[in-house]
Amino acid sequence: MMALFLCTTFVQAQTPIIQAIEFEGLQKTEKDYLQRFIKTSIGETLDSLQLEADARQLRNLNAFSDVEYKVKKRAHDESIITFICKEVKTLLPIFNFGIVPQNEWVKVGAMDVNSFGKGIELSGFYQYNRRHSFLFQARIPNIKGSAWGVSGNLLKWSSQEPLYFGDQTVQYNYNNNSVQLGIFYDLTLNQRLEIGGSLFQENYEKLNEVSEQLPGPNQVSLLKWLGRTQYSLKQMDYFFFYRSGFTNDISYQLVGTEGQADLFNIVTNDFRWYKRIHSKVNIGLRNVIGFSTNNDSPFAAYVIDSHVNLRGSGNRIARSTGIVTLNIEGRYSIWETDTLAVQGVGFVDTGFWRTAGRAWITEDAQQNVLIFGGGGLRFIHKRIYNAVFRIDFGVNLKDVRHHGLVLGLGQYF
């Protein structure tokens, strides 16, 4: 018994105790903000597995391209832990551009995903697609070191939208002015629950009011409110621009209109999966499934769009009350240095949607199925967050005359 006691005492004495935790390489990010993402703490015994998990958690933050750690042992079985952080620039421009005949657009703006070194996300953009739109948005996580955060945005969106009345499609000028507020809570470091709401004014004005043959009202103005709940799960590992793991976001929205008793629901699930199968090869998959219960209304919730789901299709070419899309992408690193990289990309984008007022499966349902295939390039700066300049060219595999070029910043998904 005495021998067991002496052996246990000897092992405990040989286990280093953490005296201090330091961060090396920080220029903008605040140390207090990072403390929430590590479980290693001062006064505990050294645990190399936990240190590796902490480094991986820090690596997955938007502020860093890579994080390693080192242990410095001192006298009296004490040690100092230092996390070596390779911080990236997080203030970058927003630029997206699409070229489809009679359907061009450009978007410019800026975003910072680590404002004030505390993980605060601020962004704003201006878009022109023969009309003018803009957005200002803020997300503030971990208020006073807690798991709580707040979000909000102001949006003015203007576009040309197709609305459906029976078998006929009518083009409208669409305006949406909205304000949105929300709160969110981090259930764990990888799980988040968010609730919020918005108030918005929608206006529809028919492009050709003089044509009596066109169905639908000439002009509609609707004041609406929306309540929203979203659950997010994220199990991802990042290494510079490579990704492995998955994310899943499921949201529920309840929408009401002033002066109307009927409410309707919108449910959307967005699943993304990535796998690094070779030192130079990354594959990715995105699946979106969504539906709304206002199927008899022409004012549908979902869109088909080059920038959103089908590369090469055009800017908001269709609206729908239900949607299923699948994007599959292979990325191969053609050239790479310590700071720069070039990827070649091949992709297939598939979409199937339900037109307002109609069932999912009809005799002409194939008209609502589009498959685009294509390729592109990614020009990547590894020391700047999400600094990926994207060029994609997509072709409709059912009608090769339908194609388009899509440019933007950041990976498509």
Side-chain angles (χ1 to χ4, degrees), residues 56-257:
R56 183 170 61 251
Q57 190 67 47
L58 293 173
R59 195 180 302 127
N60 291 343
L61 297 178
N62 294 335
F64 307 119
S65 62
D66 193 19
V67 177
E68 299 177 347
Y69 69 89
K70 63 181 179 181
V71 179
K72 181 180 180 181
K73 295 183 179 180
R74 305 182 67 181
H76 309 295
D77 297 320
E78 295 177 341
S79 62
I80 296 176
I81 308 300
T82 302
F83 290 99
I84 306 168
C85 306
K86 294 183 179 179
E87 197 170 67
V88 297
K89 303 296 184 182
T90 57
L91 175 61
L92 69 158
I94 294 173
F95 176 72
N96 289 297
F97 184 77
I99 300 176
V100 176
Q102 304 299 316
N103 206 335
E104 304 85 10
W105 81 95
V106 63
K107 178 189 291 184
V108 295
M111 67 179 299
D112 190 346
V113 295
N114 190 26
S115 298
F116 311 108
K118 298 181 180 294
I120 297 172
E121 299 179 21
L122 299 176
S123 64
F125 70 76
Y126 165 78
Q127 176 172 289
Y128 179 74
N129 58 341
R130 303 183 183 181
R131 310 197 70 206
H132 306 279
S133 302
F134 65 81
L135 169 74
F136 297 105
Q137 182 169 272
R139 292 179 64 85
I140 306 174
N142 311 126
I143 297 175
K144 294 184 178 181
S146 71
W148 291 95
V150 297
S151 65
N153 70 48
L154 290 172
L155 171 68
K156 178 188 182 301
W157 180 272
S158 298
S159 60
Q160 183 176 314
E161 301 280 351
L163 298 185
Y164 301 92
F165 301 90
D167 293 330
Q168 290 190 273
T169 302
V170 182
Q171 296 293 331
Y172 280 79
N173 279 331
Y174 171 68
N175 292 284
N176 183 327
N177 300 313
S178 73
V179 57
Q180 177 177 305
L181 295 173
I183 60 172
F184 51 90
Y185 182 80
D186 293 336
L187 302 169
T188 67
L189 292 178
N190 300 314
Q191 298 180 80
R192 173 172 289 179
L193 182 64
E194 182 169 358
I195 61 173
S198 64
L199 185 68
F200 56 102
Q201 180 83 39
E202 289 187 316
N203 292 289
Y204 295 84
E205 185 176 352
K206 191 182 293 183
L207 287 178
N208 188 359
E209 295 184 5
V210 300
S211 177
E212 297 297 331
Q213 287 81 25
L214 293 176
N218 289 336
Q219 188 172 1
V220 178
S221 181
L222 303 170
L223 179 63
K224 296 183 177 182
W225 59 265
L226 179 150
R228 181 172 181 268
T229 301
Q230 177 170 310
Y231 169 75
S232 300
L233 173 63
K234 183 177 183 179
Q235 296 284 355
M236 291 286 291
D237 286 324
Y238 294 88
F239 184 73
F240 291 99
F241 56 89
Y242 296 104
R243 307 177 185 181
S244 291
F246 73 92
T247 67
N248 195 82
D249 298 313
I250 182 168
S251 66
Y252 166 74
Q253 300 177 66
L254 179 65
V255 184
T257 303

Side-chain angles (χ1 to χ4, degrees), residues 17-22 35 38-46 78-81:
I17 302 299
I18 299 173
Q19 183 188 39
I21 299 175
E22 299 177 349
Q35 290 288 347
I38 63 174
K39 294 185 178 180
T40 300
S41 59
I42 296 173
E44 293 186 347
T45 57
L46 184 65
E78 295 177 341
S79 62
I80 296 176
I81 308 300

Side-chain angles (χ1 to χ4, degrees), residues 236 243-248 269-276 282-289 311 325-331 346-350 412-413:
M236 291 286 291
R243 307 177 185 181
S244 291
F246 73 92
T247 67
N248 195 82
N269 192 82
D270 186 337
F271 173 77
R272 307 181 185 203
W273 174 85
Y274 307 88
K275 181 68 174 179
R276 190 179 181 184
N282 219 159
I283 58 175
L285 177 150
R286 176 178 65 178
N287 173 232
V288 177
I289 301 174
R311 280 165 281 194
T325 62
L326 179 65
N327 308 97
I328 301 174
E329 189 170 277
R331 308 167 185 170
F347 64 85
V348 176
D349 296 341
T350 305
Y412 193 68
F413 64 91

